[in-house]
Amino acid sequence: MAASTITIRPSALEIARATAAAIPSEVSTRPLLGILGVVTGAGLVTLAGRMLSLGLADLKGHVGISFDDGAWLDSAFNASLMFIGPFTVYLGGLLGPRRVLLFAAGLFAVTSLFLPLVHSYGLLVAALIVAGLTSGTFYPLTLTFALRNIPLRYLPFTIALYAVFVDGGVNIAPSLYGWYRDHLSWQWMFWNSAVIAPVMMVCIYFGIPPQPPRKQTAPAPSFVGFLYLSAGLAMIFTALQQGQRLDWWRSGVFNAWFWSGSFFLLCALVRRLRAPNPLVALTYLLKWNTILLGCLLFWFRFTLCITIILIPQALAIRGFEADQIGPAIIWSAIPLIPIAFIAALLLSRKVDPRLLFAAGLACTAFAAWFCSQYTSAWAAENFYRTELLVGVGQAFAFIGLVGCIVLQAIFTGGLAKAERALSLSAYFHVIRLFGGTAGAIYMGHFIAQREKLHSNLLGLHVSSGNWITDQNIHAMTVGLYAESTGIAAAGARALGLIAARLRIQAYSLSLLDGFLLIAWSCACALMLVAVMRKSPLNYGDLSAMQQIPAAGKESNQ
């Protein structure tokens, strides 16, 4: 044990000193504005995607399209996010984050401004693709800029701010959309982005310095490999998102999307083996903690189903609208700011971010277990306490996870070369999107299958000839007779009401299974956290080391 400590510690000190020398030790208004701009962008793309999901029914009614046609609107936006994620590595490395973000944010603002005015289905799909391609650049470039510009002693508070914007965007969206629809109009689900994006542009323009012109000593890197990879991931993503509706492998459309995407991924692999791209550092990603953190991000995105799918559907089966569901969800956003500030203080006080992540997962597991006591009689008020615990858990888990990712980037040389930071950002961006979509798909499939099982089990106890069933049908028929055209119509209505009650109970039981699934998934994620390797130094040590070069400069002067 002593020998291993001696071999690791000097390497950690060397990396820490190099990191401190590479990053500015003082904060001016320009880096702070840049950080605010990129963090706002990450929160904005999260909020825009959630708003689109919530307002999809209003958008379909506005254009006048069917359910099947409307299902492709959400895929057009999210598949574009997936496509541009890996391609941002090429754009960021070639043009720099500033130019990419300014152009993308400006085009995203204009597109969001005109989206509610579109009445053509084809034009609407095209506009959503443009919105996805532009806003999809925000997330990968956020981590890249933060890693290379923020002073290390302020990094925990940057991570906390990032968590507030991204996690808050998910949880505040139902209440915000409900308020827009009741007091303004549904169009504000797009105009909201058109207002925020210019503020983001101002922060980026004044906060991120222009990148010096790229030296033309070597030919520009090829974009073909990025194009193959991005197209393959986007097609597979679209296939997975539409799989449940299209009945998976039984659908020709699903097979076309999936196998076309697989072919493009194979082309990207062949291209990579024949001509490696200098802007991509794939071997840098092949590290134990990096792979584990990718798995944990995938798992964390699945746990978000508790606030994105389970609780909204538990209230929706009783006919609640977005403005009535919102008060239950927003309770998970209320503790975000104080918990994020506490988590940042703990990180700066040398607390291991793995402990924060584990504490957050434990809180989420307990909240999911408490929600498993749900009955079909629950209203929004019944979820307030559990959602508050979910908010605490998600805040700690998200900040702990991002804290681990940043430390992993620092101590594996992620700051030494720009292509490493860009590759790491794109890697987590792809996992983030796949994790969220795969989690939602699996949860929807799980609930559907469990609902069939519970319907069958409940139906075994409700059969013709059973005296309890016959008595209930008779009593309901008598009660409905006065408002029906005859005894036969009253009996048919009574059977319909009993069938509806069975469906509600079966669906409620399937939601209970979903809450328990979230709780057990958090327990499994805790096992992965336990096998993660500890970083050589924590944030408190890095902050202290960054002051060493600054003090040395002052003494020499």
Side-chain angles (χ1 to χ4, degrees):
M1 294 295 291
S4 62
T5 304
I6 293 175
T7 57
I8 293 176
R9 194 64 180 177
S11 176
L13 293 173
E14 183 180 348
I15 295 175
R17 291 181 185 276
T19 302
I23 297 179
S25 59
E26 296 299 331
V27 177
S28 63
T29 55
R30 293 175 65 87
L32 285 179
L33 282 176
I35 292 164
L36 182 61
V38 295
V39 168
T40 302
L44 179 59
V45 66
T46 304
L47 182 62
R50 189 77 180 106
M51 283 282 196
L52 178 61
S53 300
L54 292 168
L56 198 57
D58 289 323
L59 186 59
K60 289 188 293 186
H62 169 69
V63 183
I65 56 178
S66 65
F67 173 82
D68 288 332
D69 289 337
W72 292 100
L73 298 179
D74 192 48
S75 293
F77 180 80
N78 288 301
S80 302
L81 291 179
M82 177 61 72
F83 176 88
I84 202 63
F87 210 78
T88 304
V89 176
Y90 173 79
L91 296 175
L94 195 64
L95 304 175
R98 187 176 189 267
R99 278 187 280 184
V100 174
L101 287 173
L102 283 176
F103 176 79
L107 187 55
F108 177 62
V110 174
T111 306
S112 300
L113 182 64
F114 287 100
L115 261 171
L117 309 178
V118 176
H119 293 273
S120 168
Y121 175 67
L123 189 58
L124 180 62
V125 172
L128 286 173
I129 290 175
V130 173
L133 290 176
T134 51
S135 62
T137 61
F138 300 164
Y139 183 85
L141 294 179
T142 300
L143 184 59
T144 303
F145 176 78
L147 282 175
R148 299 179 65 86
N149 292 272
I150 184 67
L152 293 175
R153 63 182 178 277
Y154 295 103
L155 200 52
F157 298 95
T158 304
I159 294 172
L161 185 65
Y162 174 75
V164 169
F165 275 72
V166 174
D167 202 13
V170 173
N171 296 325
I172 202 175
S175 295
L176 187 60
Y177 176 72
W179 189 88
Y180 281 155
R181 196 178 62 176
D182 292 344
H183 296 86
L184 297 174
S185 67
W186 67 268
Q187 287 92 338
W188 275 92
M189 75 181 195
F190 295 117
W191 290 341
N192 177 80
S193 300
V195 172
I196 299 176
V199 178
M200 168 191 167
M201 292 177 63
V202 172
C203 294
I204 290 173
Y205 183 82
F206 291 103
I208 299 181
Q211 179 175 306
R214 186 175 179 271
K215 296 180 180 180
Q216 297 296 331
T217 56
S222 174
F223 66 90
V224 178
F226 290 104
L227 185 62
Y228 290 155
L229 178 62
S230 296
L233 290 174
M235 288 181 175
I236 292 178
F237 182 88
T238 304
L240 292 176
Q241 195 169 41
Q242 296 292 328
Q244 183 70 21
R245 185 180 66 87
L246 297 174
D247 201 16
W248 300 102
W249 303 105
R250 298 181 181 88
S251 168
V253 176
F254 173 84
N255 280 280
W257 280 101
F258 183 85
W259 292 115
S260 298
S262 301
F263 173 74
F264 276 110
L265 288 182
L266 181 61
C267 292
L269 177 61
V270 173
R271 176 80 183 185
R272 171 68 185 176
L273 294 176
R274 293 188 61 187
N277 198 306
L279 294 179
V280 181
L282 289 182
T283 55
Y284 166 71
L285 302 177
L286 298 178
K287 294 178 172 55
W288 174 258
N289 271 15
T290 303
I291 296 172
L292 274 184
L293 286 170
C295 297
L296 286 169
L297 176 59
F298 194 95
W299 227 302
F300 173 75
R301 293 286 294 173
F302 177 69
T303 64
L304 295 180
C305 289
I306 191 172
T307 54
I308 296 177
I309 295 179
L310 293 178
I311 293 179
Q313 289 192 9
L315 297 174
I317 60 175
R318 298 189 57 200
F320 289 171
E321 296 290 338
D323 56 334
Q324 298 169 307
I325 296 173
I329 305 300
I330 202 172
W331 274 80
S332 59
I334 290 176
L336 264 180
I337 294 179
I339 292 300
F341 183 73
I342 293 171
L345 286 177
L346 291 174
L347 288 179
S348 62
R349 294 292 189 274
K350 303 184 179 183
V351 174
D352 193 332
R354 296 179 304 168
L355 297 178
L356 295 183
F357 190 25
L361 289 173
C363 289
T364 306
F366 278 117
W369 182 76
F370 289 143
C371 286
S372 66
Q373 314 303 315
Y374 163 79
T375 69
S376 57
W378 277 28
E381 294 80 6
N382 298 99
F383 287 104
Y384 286 172
R385 288 176 294 180
T386 54
E387 276 294 274
L388 190 63
L389 185 57
V390 167
V392 174
Q394 288 181 354
F396 272 125
F398 193 49
I399 293 174
L401 176 61
V402 178
C404 291
I405 292 173
V406 172
L407 283 182
Q408 178 69 6
I410 290 174
F411 288 107
T412 55
L415 303 183
K417 297 179 181 179
E419 59 268 22
R420 292 182 178 179
L422 286 168
S423 299
L424 189 74
S425 299
Y427 166 71
F428 285 111
H429 172 71
V430 170
I431 291 179
R432 169 183 168 270
L433 285 178
F434 263 120
T437 300
I441 291 170
Y442 179 75
M443 184 59 75
H445 180 74
F446 177 80
I447 290 175
Q449 295 301 314
R450 299 298 293 180
E451 192 270 338
K452 292 178 183 178
L453 173 64
H454 290 303
S455 293
N456 181 53
L457 294 177
L458 290 173
L460 295 176
H461 302 282
V462 181
S463 58
S464 178
N466 184 293
W467 71 271
I468 299 178
T469 303
D470 291 342
Q471 185 178 18
N472 284 329
I473 293 176
H474 178 73
M476 294 181 70
T477 302
V478 172
L480 294 170
Y481 178 75
E483 299 178 0
S484 303
T485 57
I487 190 67
R493 291 178 64 188
L495 290 175
L497 289 175
I498 290 178
R501 287 181 179 180
L502 285 177
R503 285 195 298 270
I504 290 178
Q505 292 303 319
Y507 200 73
S508 299
L509 290 172
S510 67
L511 291 174
L512 299 187
D513 295 336
F515 286 124
L516 291 175
L517 178 63
I518 293 291
W520 280 108
S521 68
C522 291
C524 294
L526 284 171
M527 299 179 188
L528 291 183
V529 176
V531 298
M532 280 182 58
R533 294 170 183 165
K534 183 179 180 181
S535 297
L537 298 175
N538 52 46
Y539 287 98
D541 297 329
L542 289 174
S543 301
M545 299 199 99
Q546 191 174 38
Q547 299 173 4
I548 295 175
K553 277 186 177 181
E554 292 176 0
S555 62
N556 291 335
Q557 290 175 354

